[in-house]
Amino acid sequence: MAQTIKTAAHIGPSPLGSKPFVSKWSSRYRGATVQDLEPPAALSLNPSDPISLALISAFERDYTHLTIVDSETRALLGYIAIPVLQAQLDAGQVKPGDPLSAAMARFERKGKKYKVITMATPLEELEEFFEGGAGQKQEFAVVTDEDRRFVLGVATRSDLEEFVKRRPA
């Protein structure tokens, strides 16, 4: 007869690092995936769009991060973190009429391997991603299809924390 071992944390090999990742909330995930977070659809803008459009769009939807895609190929180029953008505006580094390209954080394409986060990604892997399994802590994850052709949504660290709060231990 098989024996069941119950642990409060997920311990296992990490595809992102050399040390096994220990999830602090594994008992609450119970097989849940990113899809269970019900991330809102991504709002993707173009680098040529004005900063004011990003601010209005984020405010209307209560988004903290917006993805930036190429206007022709729809390839993911980078993102805008609204709190950072607001700080740049307050400091006079950018103006509302400036293009998003002046303020966006660009993804490095060469020499960097990104962790693919899909709707089917287990929440333990998402937590590991947020906690720095990819080298540094992250505040959000761009959710794509398996082939990374389409941006489906954005999941944030606070989305994961809210999910855990709503789920009994």
Side-chain angles (χ1 to χ4, degrees), residues 8 18 23 29 33 37 39 49-50 56 67-68 76 105 118-119 121-122 128 140 150 152 154 161:
S18 58
S23 170
Y29 296 149
T33 64
L37 295 178
D49 289 334
I56 291 167
T67 54
I68 308 298
L76 184 62
T118 69
M119 290 292 194
T121 299
E128 179 178 12
F140 76 103
F150 303 104
L152 303 175
V154 173
E161 291 168 355

Side-chain angles (χ1 to χ4, degrees), residues 10-143:
H10 168 76
I11 301 176
S14 168
L16 300 174
S18 58
K19 295 180 184 175
F21 175 73
V22 179
S23 170
K24 58 185 172 187
W25 296 322
S26 184
S27 64
R28 295 202 179 169
Y29 296 149
R30 295 190 295 274
T33 64
V34 170
Q35 184 169 1
D36 295 308
L37 295 178
E38 299 176 354
L43 174 62
S44 297
L45 299 174
N46 299 318
S48 59
D49 289 334
I51 287 173
S52 59
L53 177 63
L55 291 171
I56 291 167
S57 300
F59 178 74
E60 288 174 346
R61 293 167 180 83
D62 198 26
Y63 285 7
T64 57
H65 294 82
L66 303 177
T67 54
I68 308 298
V69 297
D70 185 277
S71 58
E72 293 176 15
T73 65
R74 306 293 298 160
L76 184 62
L77 300 175
Y79 67 93
I80 290 284
I82 299 303
V84 172
L85 180 60
Q86 193 62 56
Q88 289 175 330
L89 283 164
D90 293 345
Q93 296 170 329
V94 294
K95 297 180 181 93
D98 290 347
L100 287 173
S101 59
M104 66 185 264
R106 296 180 187 277
F107 291 124
E108 296 174 28
R109 294 272 185 219
K110 296 188 178 173
K112 186 152 182 158
K113 186 174 181 176
Y114 288 96
K115 168 76 176 142
V116 178
I117 304 291
T118 69
M119 290 292 194
T121 299
L123 293 185
E124 289 88 354
E125 285 184 32
L126 183 63
E127 180 188 357
E128 179 178 12
F129 176 78
F130 287 150
E131 292 301 321
Q136 66 182 33
K137 289 190 175 194
Q138 304 293 328
E139 290 301 314
F140 76 103
V142 176
V143 182

